Amino acid sequence: MLARAAACVCAGALLTAAPAAQVDSAGIRAKQTVRALAELGPRVAGSPTERRAARVVTKRFAKLGLSPIVQAVPLPRGGASRNLVFRTGGRPLRAIVVAHLDGVSAGPAANDNGSGVGALLEVARGLGDTQGVLYAALGAEERVMTGSRLHLGSARL
C-alpha cells in the first residue's frame, strides 16, 4: 500500500509541476501503453500473454535507458510469473514506484492495471535520471487468479 501511495504522490507531483503540454503528452503516451497492453488480451500471471506484456514494458523502459532485473515469482499452482525491476543509480533508495502487470482472465485489464503501468512509465520519464528510484512492474498480484492469500509479486519484491 505504501508503494501505491508513493506512486500516486510522485505522479501527482509531476503533473502539478509540469506545463499543460507535457501533461497532455504524458497522458497520450500512458494511453498508448494501456492500449498496447490491452490489445494483448488477458494477462493472467504466468501466461504467455503476461510474458508478451513484460516485453512491451521492457522495451519502453529501455527507451528511458533502464534495463530490468527479472525476479521469478513462483505460482502456487505451478509455473511462474515475474517482476520487472528497474533502478536508477545512486544511494540511498529514495522512492519506489510500482504497478502490477498481470490481470484477471475476464478481460484485457486496461484499468486493472494497464493504466497503472502507463502511469509507472510516465513517472519514470518525468523523473528522468533522478538518483535512487526503483520502478517495478509486478506479476502475480491478482490473488483471485493465483489462489494465494498474498500479492505474490509484492511479497517477492
Side-chain angles (χ1 to χ4, degrees), residues 100-150:
H100 68 91
L101 191 55
D102 65 316
V104 298
S105 61
N111 266 342
D112 185 15
N113 192 26
S115 59
V117 174
L120 174 72
L121 280 154
E122 292 312 307
V123 168
R125 183 184 312 282
L127 290 176
D129 61 357
T130 300
Q131 299 290 296
V133 183
L134 183 146
Y135 304 99
L138 304 177
E141 291 292 280
E142 294 289 356
R143 295 178 301 165
V144 68
M145 300 306 300
T146 65
S148 175
R149 302 182 296 106
L150 303 173

Side-chain angles (χ1 to χ4, degrees), residues 54-70 84-90 97 120-136:
R55 286 192 293 274
V56 168
V57 171
T58 297
K59 286 179 185 176
R60 291 178 188 225
F61 268 101
K63 290 179 182 176
L64 302 176
L66 297 171
S67 299
I69 297 166
V70 179
L84 303 174
V85 181
F86 305 86
R87 176 82 197 270
T88 64
V97 187
L120 174 72
L121 280 154
E122 292 312 307
V123 168
R125 183 184 312 282
L127 290 176
D129 61 357
T130 300
Q131 299 290 296
V133 183
L134 183 146
Y135 304 99

